[in-house]
Amino acid sequence: PFKGKNFCPNPIVKFGIPKYADSRLNKKVIGTPAHDEFWSAELYKCIHGHQTGGLFIPARFYYYMNFNSMATINGIINPDFVDLHLELAYLIDYAKANGKNILCAKKRRAGISEATQKMVVDYGWRFSQSYQAGVAAGQDIYAQDFMKKWRSADSLIVPEFRTKKLVNNDDEVVAGYEIRNDDGANEEGTKNTIYVRTMFKNPNLFKGLFLNDIIAEEAGEFEKLKEFYGASLACLKDGNKQ
């Protein structure tokens, strides 16, 4: 897409968080009018998208570009702007709006898994209500590698976007927290959930779940890919509507 003058999809990375809103530098800014106004504006962009340089960038892409950090052998880095990832964000929004699925044939090291874990799974888990995602792979190593990327990015998220967890293990991550009182402990929060399953022998492990998104990581390694697709498709439907 054509990018006009002053195109900047990642102002947080480029210019940084101003001191009056950076609670990592000074916790005393939390709750001040300036802090609240800044983060309300950022939250709005992460939910509604952002216009820059004459181009609309989707909300999930704005979130990915500005609030994703990756641990590499060269240290902690932020995503570079790549047209392919912006086009992927457009495609994800189109697919979700029209009840479509995406089969992404790609080269190695294209950053698709990194972008997908942030723009689909993490985005839904962090910013939606009643969100359920399934991450599947034919071999456990691929599912866990996907979640390793997610956990790394989650550990580096800004405090204002952090989410507590009721459950956090290799099979399941549930957003929420406990409030203890005289009657015991009550579980609060969104209860948004990420289910992680290895489908090498059994392609039916999502059956019975209602899921907003399903990620089939390294689909070429699925022994029973067609069976998995057929068994999981109903999880994405409300009646006949996907």
Side-chain angles (χ1 to χ4, degrees):
F2 176 77
K3 307 166 192 70
K5 188 177 181 181
N6 300 322
F7 176 75
C8 181
N10 56 346
I12 299 300
V13 174
K14 185 173 181 180
F15 303 112
I17 299 171
K19 289 183 179 180
Y20 62 78
D22 196 339
S23 62
R24 291 174 297 187
L25 293 177
N26 181 10
K27 290 184 178 181
K28 292 183 179 180
V29 302
I30 297 175
T32 62
H35 172 272
D36 291 352
E37 183 178 352
F38 177 85
W39 286 106
S40 292
E42 288 305 307
L43 182 61
Y44 183 90
K45 295 174 188 175
C46 288
I47 294 175
H48 298 285
H50 180 54
Q51 196 80 25
T52 177
L55 187 67
F56 175 77
I57 58 174
R60 63 184 75 248
F61 186 74
Y62 182 85
Y63 175 60
Y64 168 69
M65 286 298 298
N66 288 277
F67 298 105
N68 187 31
S69 300
M70 299 170 283
T72 72
I73 57 174
N74 296 317
I76 305 300
I77 64 171
N78 301 107
D80 292 325
F81 175 80
V82 179
D83 277 335
L84 174 66
H85 296 162
L86 177 57
E87 291 169 6
L88 177 62
Y90 289 136
L91 180 61
I92 292 167
D93 279 353
Y94 174 84
K96 292 179 77 65
N98 292 278
K100 304 293 184 180
N101 299 308
I102 299 171
L103 178 61
C104 183
K106 66 177 184 66
K107 65 180 181 179
R108 291 284 179 184
R109 305 300 179 189
I112 299 299
S113 291
E114 184 70 45
T116 301
Q117 64 85 6
K118 197 69 174 181
M119 289 199 293
V120 179
V121 175
D122 184 76
Y123 183 83
W125 184 81
R126 207 171 296 274
F127 293 114
S128 303
Q129 292 286 337
S130 303
Y131 179 80
Q132 311 279 303
V135 175
Q139 298 182 33
D140 186 60
I141 187 173
Y142 296 123
Q144 295 306 326
D145 184 59
F146 184 95
M147 291 305 295
K148 181 180 178 181
K149 293 173 183 175
W150 179 83
R151 293 180 193 283
S152 176
D154 177 63
S155 70
L156 297 167
I157 196 74
V158 292
E160 286 74 12
F161 288 164
R162 284 179 189 159
T163 301
K164 293 183 177 180
K165 304 171 187 69
L166 283 167
V167 179
N168 188 12
N169 56 47
D170 287 346
D171 298 321
E172 204 169 302
V173 181
V174 181
Y177 54 93
E178 284 190 350
I179 295 180
R180 296 189 176 276
N181 51 44
D182 294 338
D183 298 324
N186 294 324
E187 293 183 349
E188 303 289 344
T190 64
K191 312 291 179 63
N192 289 348
T193 304
I194 303 170
Y195 299 95
V196 186
R197 301 288 186 266
T198 302
M199 304 282 186
F200 181 72
K201 293 183 179 180
N202 184 355
N204 302 304
L205 295 180
F206 285 152
K207 262 192 172 180
L209 296 175
F210 177 78
L211 301 171
N212 301 92
D213 293 305
I214 295 176
I215 305 298
E217 182 70 351
E218 297 289 349
E221 300 290 342
F222 275 65
E223 184 75 14
K224 300 177 180 179
L225 180 60
K226 287 179 66 177
E227 292 85 347
F228 161 75
Y229 180 82
S232 301
L233 195 58
C235 301
L236 296 169
K237 290 186 174 181
D238 181 9
N240 291 324
K241 182 180 179 181
Q242 180 170 314

